[in-house]
């Protein structure tokens, strides 16, 4: 799977949008971009994934550049409960045995 | 809630003892994964089942680690002769194979193991 690069930490004020970047310059055409987050001492939580189109769900929006070499996860109105480590992962979806390969992620701190 | 469940949530054991953890996946999910997470690191893949077949186990950390999924439903992860370096969070995830979507993995809350 392609490697990803994320900033180690980011800060965000409560109520503002949090924009978390991810670089995946070696992504292959059949690889999806997945985002998970992990709140302290809990299991990772799935947020969103996409292939090449922008995606939105009740938690977040995912913006993927046209060349697919980078993406941004957007939390439109961050709350204190969004403080977590956010992981950007690329993988071939559905292929047997393709585990998620986690990096160190971005620690997002939301403050009031 | 019908998410992934793991038991126990916490386990404290003495070095040299055997421990077993259980994972119950989301109902009808046919794929089940085990990961390990040490402090300050992201989860690390250990092994994977499709139904009852263990299709990937080369990432198991040593021959002291073994996993089963006897009827294609719940799974167990056993660590024999535990060592202090085995102290970690052990995570389980499940997913539905292609044909129903993109095989998104959903994680349980984890079992935190402390080896004294």
């Amino acid at each position: 799977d392609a490697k990803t690069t994320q900033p180690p930490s980011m800060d965000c004020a409560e109520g503002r949008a949090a924009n978390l970047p991810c670089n995946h310059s070696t992504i292959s055409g059949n690889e999806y971009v997945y985002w998970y987050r992990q709140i302290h001492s809990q299991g990772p939580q799935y947020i969103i994934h996409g292939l090449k189109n922008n995606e939105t769900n009740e938690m977040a929006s995912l913006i993927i550049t046209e060349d697919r070499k980078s993406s941004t996860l957007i939390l439109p109105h961050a709350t204190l409960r969004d403080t977590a480590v956010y992981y950007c992962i690329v993988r071939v979806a559905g292929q047997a045995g393709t585990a998620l390969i986690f990096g160190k992620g971005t620690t997002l701190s939301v403050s009031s | 809630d019908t998410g992934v469940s793991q038991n126990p949530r916490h386990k404290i054991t003495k070095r040299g003892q055997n421990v077993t953890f259980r994972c119950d996946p989301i109902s009808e999910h046919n794929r089940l994964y085990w990961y390990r997470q040490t402090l300050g690191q992201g989860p690390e893949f250990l092994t994977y089942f499709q139904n009852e077949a263990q299709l990937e186990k080369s990432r198991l950390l040593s021959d002291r680690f073994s996993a089963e999924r006897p009827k294609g439903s719940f799974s167990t992860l056993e660590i024999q002769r535990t060592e202090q370096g085995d102290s970690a969070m052990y995570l389980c995830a499940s997913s539905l194979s292609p044909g129903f979507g993109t095989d998104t993995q959903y994680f349980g809350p984890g079992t935190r193991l402390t080896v004294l």
Side-chain angles (χ1 to χ4, degrees), chain A residues 25-90:
Chain A
S25 59
T26 59
I27 192 170
S28 299
N30 62 347
E31 288 183 314
Y32 286 71
V33 180
Y34 281 78
W35 283 84
Y36 283 78
R37 73 179 183 184
Q38 189 170 25
I39 297 169
H40 183 61
S41 296
Q42 298 182 20
Q45 178 187 23
Y46 165 75
I47 301 173
I48 199 167
H49 73 278
L51 183 62
K52 53 185 176 181
N53 296 323
N54 298 337
E55 302 287 344
T56 295
N57 63 20
E58 65 279 4
M59 289 183 68
S61 295
L62 174 61
I63 307 299
I64 302 174
T65 59
E66 191 170 346
D67 63 9
R68 303 207 327 121
K69 293 185 177 182
S70 66
S71 60
T72 301
L73 179 75
I74 300 172
L75 308 179
H77 305 287
T79 71
L80 298 178
R81 289 178 295 179
D82 292 322
T83 292
V85 179
Y86 287 77
Y87 296 100
C88 170
I89 301 165
V90 295

Side-chain angles (χ1 to χ4, degrees), chain B residues 42-75:
Chain B
E44 172 190 14
F45 170 69
L46 294 179
T47 190
Y48 150 72
F49 292 86
Q50 177 144 332
N51 300 311
E52 66 275 9
Q54 189 174 13
L55 299 185
E56 173 59 64
K57 57 182 179 180
S58 65
R59 306 279 187 93
L60 285 170
L61 300 164
S62 78
D63 58 6
R64 298 184 296 105
F65 288 71
S66 63
E68 293 183 339
R69 194 182 183 198
K71 297 183 179 180
S73 56
F74 73 92
S75 175

Side-chain angles (χ1 to χ4, degrees), chain B residues 2 8 11-12 18 25 29 38 44 48 55 60 68 81-84 89-91 94 102 106 109-110:
Chain B
T2 56
K11 178 71 176 179
I12 300 173
N18 299 343
H29 275 193
T38 54
E44 172 190 14
Y48 150 72
L55 299 185
L60 285 170
E68 293 183 339
R81 305 181 303 281
T82 54
E83 302 173 355
Q84 288 185 327
M89 174 82 86
Y90 290 84
L91 294 158
S94 70
T102 51
Y106 296 91

